[in-house]
Amino acid sequence: MTKVWLRWLPAVAVPAAIAAGALVGPFQASAAATLPIKTPEQLLAMVGANTVKSLSGTLEQTSELGLPQLPTTGPSSNAGVASALDLLTGPHTARVYLAGPTDARVQVMDQLAERDVVRHGTDVWLYSSKDNSATHETLPAAGTDGRTAPSTPELQTPDQLAQRMLAAIDPGTEVTVGQDTVVAGRSAYDLVLSPRSSDTLVGSVSIAVDSLTGLPLSVEVQARGQDKPAFRLAFTDLILQAPSADLFTFTPPPGANVTQRSLPQGDRLPPGQPGTPGEQSGSAAPQHTVSGTGWDTVIGLPAAAVPAGLTASPLLAQAARTVDGGRLVSTALVNVLLTNDGRIFAGSVPLELLQAAAAAR
């Protein structure tokens, strides 16, 4: 699973954990009618052959990561940290609309407010009803290939998250088939990824695979020694047809504070993930070190690659505890060590492995 941490951990989980990324929520799941028996290889082939590009549905997410409840507003917070923290410490509901590679809309329903990301071709609108603010982004010409997306993180779909995990399967992962289930009223197979290592914090990853289309309907991550899923993202309702075209046009409400900006060529998504922020492949990535293998991988960032002011954040001070060699932000799935000399080491491993990686320099 080294590729998982190179793609997923640095881009999502590390910044989010330090801010105190995946996503996920309670979903209707029950025993399904008995489905034809399939092997893990057959289910992997189903997911790979999935051609669903248009849909509308509701996503719900919950997280049981063990993060403290920290303020998301006020003098001890900032917008970026608050957003990441909010996604990790509470349940969220979002409406998702997709119509091909370049038309997408995500509506995240906050308490008494709503956040929207609307993409139509090379036009992207980001809107928050909380302060009636909107940002219009014009994607570069390469945006028509379906790989460029808004630069503001929002919820992914189970398909996008599952594809990242499945792409990183290696010999350190046991792949099995669990009990049939029902998600969003659809019968599904349960594809289970289990680390062979006993040193990782991850117990298993379960992916509900639609029995008719191969579309992942939910992703659930179980932490070792924890009864409730640490991370769950699932559809609660789903319609597999193109949404109305007018959903992908956006006009700012009267009085909205509108900001115009253009994205650089580097803001790219991995192929097959339209409408959702991804890794930047066009710009030089910060130098990092990798130690361990598979689920035991530890990613190290030099002090020069750590965002300015991050280690001095009041939120970080509340979330971290002092350990030998630095401070630790601990969650059910990811541990992050901030060393006294300003470096960062992160992984789904116990603190001891992070300290060993830091000592090896």
Side-chain angles (χ1 to χ4, degrees):
M1 299 295 287
T2 300
K3 293 180 181 178
V4 164
W5 289 116
L6 289 177
R7 296 178 183 177
W8 186 37
L9 181 78
V12 180
V14 171
I18 294 173
L23 305 174
V24 195
F27 62 91
Q28 298 175 355
S30 59
T34 302
L35 297 171
I37 295 175
K38 290 189 180 295
T39 65
E41 293 77 14
Q42 288 174 316
L43 289 185
L44 289 171
M46 282 185 64
V47 175
N50 157 46
T51 60
V52 175
K53 301 299 180 185
S54 298
L55 60 82
S56 60
T58 302
L59 285 172
E60 290 189 356
Q61 73 89 23
T62 55
S63 301
E64 295 287 343
L65 296 176
L67 289 171
Q69 293 296 321
L70 300 175
T72 58
T73 60
S76 64
S77 178
N78 63 58
V81 170
S83 178
L85 177 64
D86 185 48
L87 284 175
L88 283 180
T89 57
H92 292 276
T93 299
R95 289 290 298 171
V96 177
Y97 306 92
L98 301 176
T102 59
D103 283 338
R105 182 169 190 146
V106 178
Q107 298 172 311
V108 181
M109 312 306 295
D110 297 324
Q111 187 175 13
L112 302 179
E114 178 180 314
R115 285 173 288 161
D116 287 74
V117 178
V118 184
R119 175 179 177 180
H120 180 54
T122 59
D123 284 324
V124 177
W125 283 95
L126 301 97
Y127 176 72
S128 173
S129 67
K130 186 174 183 179
D131 57 3
N132 196 24
S133 64
T135 299
H136 178 225
E137 299 180 339
T138 302
L139 303 180
T144 56
D145 66 5
R147 300 186 184 184
T148 307
S151 59
T152 299
E154 295 296 340
L155 296 177
Q156 297 187 65
T157 66
D159 184 26
Q160 293 164 354
L161 187 55
Q163 294 288 355
R164 289 192 171 209
M165 293 183 170
L166 295 178
I169 290 178
D170 64 10
T173 304
E174 180 182 14
V175 185
T176 58
V177 180
Q179 294 184 342
D180 300 340
T181 188
V182 172
V183 179
R186 301 181 65 89
S187 297
Y189 293 97
D190 183 24
L191 184 63
V192 182
L193 313 180
S194 301
R196 299 184 189 276
S197 169
S198 59
D199 288 331
T200 178
L201 304 179
V202 179
S204 64
V205 176
S206 295
I207 301 171
V209 180
D210 184 65
S211 61
L212 295 179
T213 66
L215 177 72
L217 302 176
S218 71
V219 176
E220 179 177 299
V221 184
Q222 195 77 34
R224 292 188 186 275
Q226 186 168 300
D227 294 333
K228 293 183 179 180
F231 178 81
R232 179 185 291 153
L233 175 65
F235 283 107
T236 56
D237 65 70
L238 179 64
I239 300 175
L240 297 181
Q241 63 185 42
S244 174
D246 60 8
L247 286 169
F248 306 112
T249 60
F250 180 81
T251 301
N257 181 20
V258 179
T259 301
Q260 299 282 346
R261 68 185 184 190
S262 294
L263 294 180
Q265 289 284 348
D267 285 0
R268 296 284 188 95
L269 270 180
Q273 298 191 34
T276 309
E279 302 162 353
Q280 292 188 350
S281 60
S283 56
Q287 293 183 353
H288 62 269
T289 61
V290 180
S291 58
T293 60
W295 297 87
D296 300 340
T297 298
V298 174
I299 303 297
L301 291 178
V306 177
L310 177 61
T311 56
S313 166
L315 281 179
L316 180 61
Q318 294 180 61
R321 62 183 176 90
T322 301
V323 297
D324 288 343
R327 290 175 292 168
L328 177 71
V329 177
S330 180
T331 78
L333 294 176
V334 179
N335 279 329
V336 181
L337 174 65
L338 298 96
T339 64
N340 291 329
D341 59 7
R343 296 173 296 154
I344 291 179
F345 294 85
S348 273
V349 297
L351 168 62
E352 294 73 20
L353 292 186
L354 299 182
Q355 291 171 322
R361 300 186 69 90

